[in-house]
Amino acid sequence: MEINIPEIRAEVTAMFHEYETALVSNDVETLDRLFFNAPTTIRYGGGENLYGYEEIAAFRSGRPNVDLARALERVEITTYGRDFATASTHYIKPSAPTKVGRQMQTWVRTPEGWKVVAAHVSMIERPGGS
């Protein structure tokens, strides 16, 4: 298996940034489009465990459009072959400067394009306290 084929990594990196733009602008339509529409899709968030596309879409449509800004500190995209990838990032929210957010996504190439099939978002105290 080839890891980080340059053109595949570029594809997933572009999808990750499309997701990030949609997230901070609360573009629910794009967020929904980027998740795999299946009961097996999972998203663990800061205060919710969502099982299946329908639960994820319902959460997105009811999420308040406030406090969405964040700055990415580090993004790691790793591809495995041509159809599977992970995206991991640390981020800082201006409203929580002593914490660091962590996000991981599993992306799979489907006939409709790259889709998130699993995601996890959480926040912890920033290492070192600042």
Side-chain angles (χ1 to χ4, degrees):
M1 173 189 322
E2 292 181 76
I3 296 175
N4 286 339
I5 300 168
E7 65 270 20
I8 304 304
R9 190 166 183 268
E11 288 177 17
V12 177
T13 299
M15 297 306 300
F16 172 84
H17 288 293
E18 180 179 357
Y19 179 92
E20 182 66 19
T21 298
L23 182 68
V24 299
S25 64
N26 203 38
D27 179 351
V28 175
E29 183 178 319
T30 297
L31 294 170
D32 287 347
R33 177 178 51 80
L34 294 176
F35 270 76
F36 187 52
N37 189 346
T40 53
T41 301
I42 295 173
R43 180 186 177 278
Y44 293 149
E48 65 284 339
N49 296 321
L50 306 171
Y51 293 90
Y53 177 87
E54 296 301 324
E55 286 185 17
I56 296 166
F59 169 79
R60 290 271 186 234
S61 67
R63 181 178 74 143
N65 188 12
V66 295
D67 194 29
L68 301 179
R70 65 190 199 170
L72 302 182
E73 285 196 329
R74 182 171 180 171
V75 176
E76 295 289 335
I77 307 290
T78 307
T79 63
Y80 301 89
R82 296 187 166 275
D83 301 317
F84 184 85
T86 59
S88 305
T89 188
H90 285 171
Y91 62 88
I92 300 300
K93 294 181 74 69
S95 62
T98 64
K99 296 186 180 278
V100 62
R102 304 167 310 161
Q103 174 181 296
M104 294 190 75
Q105 300 167 328
T106 302
W107 291 80
V108 173
R109 185 193 305 273
T110 72
E112 294 78 35
W114 286 98
K115 304 288 183 180
V116 175
V117 296
H120 179 109
V121 180
S122 60
M123 293 192 90
I124 60 171
E125 289 297 321
R126 183 182 274 284
S130 61

